[in-house]
Amino acid sequence: MNDEVSSNVMVLAEHTGMQVSEGTYELIGKARELASALGGVTEVVLLGRRAVAARLDGADIVVSVEHPALEEYLPEAYEQALLEVLAQRSPRLLLMSNATIGLDLGAALSVRWDAPLAGYVSALEIDGGAVMATAKILGGKVLAEVELPGERGIVTVLGGAFSAAAGQLASTPEVVDVTPPAGLDALRMSLRQVFEADGGDVDISSADMLVSVGRGIESQDNMEIVLELAGALGVPLSASRPVVDAGWLPKTRQVGQSGLKVKPKVYLAFGISGAPEHLEGMRNAELIIACNTDPGAPIFGVAHCGTTVDLFDLVPELVDKIRG
Amino acid sequence: MRIVVPVKSVPDLVEEIELTADETGIDREYLTFVLSEWDAQALEEALLLKDAGGAQVVAVGLADDPEIDQILYTALAKGADAAVKIADASVAGLSGPRVIRTADRAALLAGYLADQPADLVVTGVQAADDLDGQLPATLAALLDLPHVSVAVSVVAAGGSVTVRQEFAAGRSHELQVQLPAVIGVQSARQAPRYAPITRIRQAQQAGGLTEVAVSPRAAGAGLVVRRMHRPEAGGHAEMLTGSAGNVADQIVGLLRARGLVKG
Ligand SMILES: Cc1cc2nc3c(=O)[nH]c(=O)nc-3n(C[C@H](O)[C@H](O)[C@H](O)COP(=O)(O)OP(=O)(O)OC[C@H]3O[C@@H](n4cnc5c(N)ncnc54)[C@H](O)[C@@H]3O)c2cc1C
Ligand SMILES: Nc1ncnc2c1ncn2[C@@H]1O[C@H](COP(=O)(O)O)[C@@H](O)[C@H]1O
């Protein structure tokens, strides 16, 4: 146990098998910047796959815990292992993704490690020694600038907020092994099965252009008009999560954090508000054109062109003009 | 099996959000509040568990939340067996811009669950106004229970539940989780059921809400909100104006210029 808080910034690596997530590099890049402002170094926690350490060359130190329960992500196992690492290393800050793993662990570690947590974070800096974060709340309609008081903190970061390139450097991190805590042998949950993504009829992530539809479409019957537009343009129809959850389009058409990342030449968004989880999947499209009747919709923060014309007026006009 | 479903109202995001004069919170006075959409999914998943094998479903809200009575009556109309309001006015910090104190909310709910234990707690994976964390994991840590968030299916299996946890790009894990446990629901196996207005009225007339006082568990250190603000209106989007026909012409022009529409 180490009671002295270090000035180090720690990142939890996310990986499926040997593949490190893009978000991990985004966090490492940011951690390097923060660590240098604090006078510390960047530590990356790597659970269950020591061999991945070679791919974490943006880290100064890789802290590895090996145990069969950590081979794939398992919430309770990760939580126990991280608590052990936090107790031993006492970082100034822990950064995680604001996706499934961060949503699982961030708040639990905040209670159990007794550190404030800021979630949905899109900007992060050290200001006179204090950790300042900007969080997107209310679906991205409000930005909250918060300070994490005290001598340690946890931040879960939205995907795409920081540069991944800054976390990919040619260096050789030192690997420190931490003995797995005994709790890993007495877990209250187990992993039964891993399901890989289903292959879809079309791959929206390779399309040049997408017509994308959100909850503004209101009903399954109304889907007809956007299907017609996609048909006229000869491009796939994609959607935000609620449209997929409602069963109006298959999961393979979902854009966003829990769907697919897309980068078409043109992304046409109809009735999509632009929640952070959606933006994560499409903000890098070359040209984003958004139609939303709410002028305050966050989608206009990433769109290149926007209109507040009603989609039910605009879509039929588009179909007519494209069909000529 | 006793299933507790914590529910919460959040500002309806269709509306313009106004900030308080000191810009550290949301001006709640003129906002419309609705049930958090993920809590609606959690309630549905709990009701599906009840439909499948019998369970007692209890919806629990905080008494001072806007629209909470309507939300709880709706839960009863949908099939919840009981609805409970936790008196919360006494808790410091909850009367101000409390949208940001998920930790306080969890402290109250953990107090309730310590008095009235549940076999399973299912609640929304997050709420739109969470800032200092999400309820499921906070609650679980306060109660020392196992927890899983971003669940898209929860099925009872004896003294445990089988939970499907979702990751990016359609990957998911199937977990076996011992009860008692806390699950954060992303989406239910089917779209939330509809409660006919007549059933909601019946529930209101029957008046089945119980109010309880609890001793909150200690909540952890919170954040200090320095300032809230709205993102710059319009961001960097160039706004296309005119009639629907005009706007359509402009959009088609942009697509033509990129060779994505012929002619
Ligand atoms: C862990 C997690 C993962 C998630 N993953 C994803 C994901 O991968 N992808 C995703 O999309 N979401 C995801 N979400 C959900 C996300 O938070 C939002 O709830 C979702 O993106 C909202 O979808 P929407 O914009 O279609 O709906 P809403 O937010 O309801 O927006 C509908 C919009 O339509 C507009 N509108 C209404 N009528 C009209 C009209 N007639 N004409 C024009 N505009 C109109 C409204 O002004 C509104 O802005 C995730 C959430 C969580 C918690
Ligand atoms: N029922 C459907 N669900 C999802 N996508 C569809 C559906 N029907 C058509 N599409 C897609 O919409 C686009 C236009 O289809 P079509 O109108 O059949 O030419 C194509 O990319 C189709 O794959």
Side-chain angles (χ1 to χ4, degrees), chain A residues 215 240-241 254-256 258 273 277-278 292 310-311, chain B residues 186:
Chain A
R215 189 145 51 187
S240 66
R241 173 149 199 146
Q254 184 187 315
V255 173
S258 51
S273 64
E277 298 91 346
H278 187 80
N292 192 309
D310 193 303
L311 82 88
Chain B
Q186 160 75 269

Side-chain angles (χ1 to χ4, degrees), chain B residues 48-235:
Chain B
L48 288 173
L49 279 161
K50 175 181 170 175
D51 294 347
Q56 196 213 3
V57 175
V58 184
V60 181
L62 302 195
D64 285 356
D65 271 2
E67 305 298 334
I68 194 65
D69 286 11
Q70 180 68 16
I71 285 168
L72 291 175
Y73 285 127
T74 306
L76 289 169
K78 285 182 173 184
D81 301 284
V84 174
K85 288 198 286 186
I86 298 174
D88 63 340
S90 59
V91 175
L94 278 179
S95 51
R98 35 185 248 168
V99 281
I100 58 163
R101 288 297 292 161
T102 306
D104 287 335
R105 175 172 290 274
L108 283 161
L109 285 160
Y112 168 77
L113 287 161
D115 292 346
Q116 310 268 329
D119 300 297
L120 182 62
V121 179
V122 281
T123 188
V125 59
Q126 64 168 38
D129 57 2
D130 286 343
L131 176 56
D132 63 339
Q134 295 71 34
L135 186 66
T138 314
L139 253 187
L142 290 173
L143 294 164
D144 192 24
L145 296 178
H147 61 96
V148 178
S149 267
V150 199
V152 292
S153 154
V154 186
V155 176
S160 62
V161 280
T162 306
V163 179
R164 184 78 93 100
Q165 179 175 47
E166 201 185 74
F167 301 91
R171 288 186 91 246
S172 61
H173 285 176
E174 188 180 278
L175 307 173
Q176 188 82 26
V177 185
Q178 277 173 35
L179 298 179
V182 183
I183 310 295
V185 173
Q186 160 75 269
S187 41
R189 280 166 283 156
Q190 66 182 42
R193 66 196 64 188
Y194 174 77
I197 190 80
T198 50
R199 293 266 290 282
I200 300 174
R201 288 228 181 83
Q202 278 166 15
Q204 276 167 336
Q205 273 149 18
L209 306 190
T210 326
E211 187 154 338
V212 299
V214 306
S215 0
R217 291 286 172 104
L223 299 169
V224 179
V225 177
R226 289 244 185 109
R227 184 170 86 102
M228 288 196 186
H229 59 99
R230 284 182 293 186
E232 202 185 313

Side-chain angles (χ1 to χ4, degrees), chain A residues 191-216:
Chain A
L191 176 65
R192 296 272 301 267
Q193 212 178 330
V194 173
F195 296 92
E196 298 299 337
D198 298 334
D201 53 337
V202 284
D203 176 12
I204 57 168
S205 58
S206 65
D208 264 355
M209 174 164 32
L210 288 168
V211 170
S212 207
V213 62
R215 189 145 51 187

Side-chain angles (χ1 to χ4, degrees), chain A residues 92-98 101-121 124 131 133 135 137 146-150 152-157, chain B residues 100-103 125 130-138 220-225:
Chain A
R92 174 72 182 81
L93 263 185
L94 171 66
L95 310 185
M96 293 186 284
S97 73
N98 197 80
I101 294 179
L103 294 180
D104 247 348
L105 302 178
L109 293 174
S110 169
V111 173
R112 301 186 67 187
W113 189 44
D114 193 19
L117 164 72
Y120 312 91
V121 167
L124 188 58
V131 179
I137 54 170
V146 298
E147 179 185 340
L148 286 87
R152 55 196 183 196
I154 303 173
V155 179
T156 57
V157 177
Chain B
I100 58 163
R101 288 297 292 161
T102 306
V125 59
D130 286 343
L131 176 56
D132 63 339
Q134 295 71 34
L135 186 66
T138 314
L223 299 169
V224 179
V225 177

Side-chain angles (χ1 to χ4, degrees), chain A residues 201-202 204 210-211 220 223-224 226-238 247-250 252-253 323:
Chain A
D201 53 337
V202 284
I204 57 168
L210 288 168
V211 170
Q220 180 153 29
M223 290 293 286
E224 201 53 49
V226 278
L227 276 169
E228 220 180 304
L229 177 60
L233 288 164
V235 305
L237 186 65
S238 58
W248 303 338
L249 275 181
T252 49
R253 305 296 184 102
R323 292 231 163 100

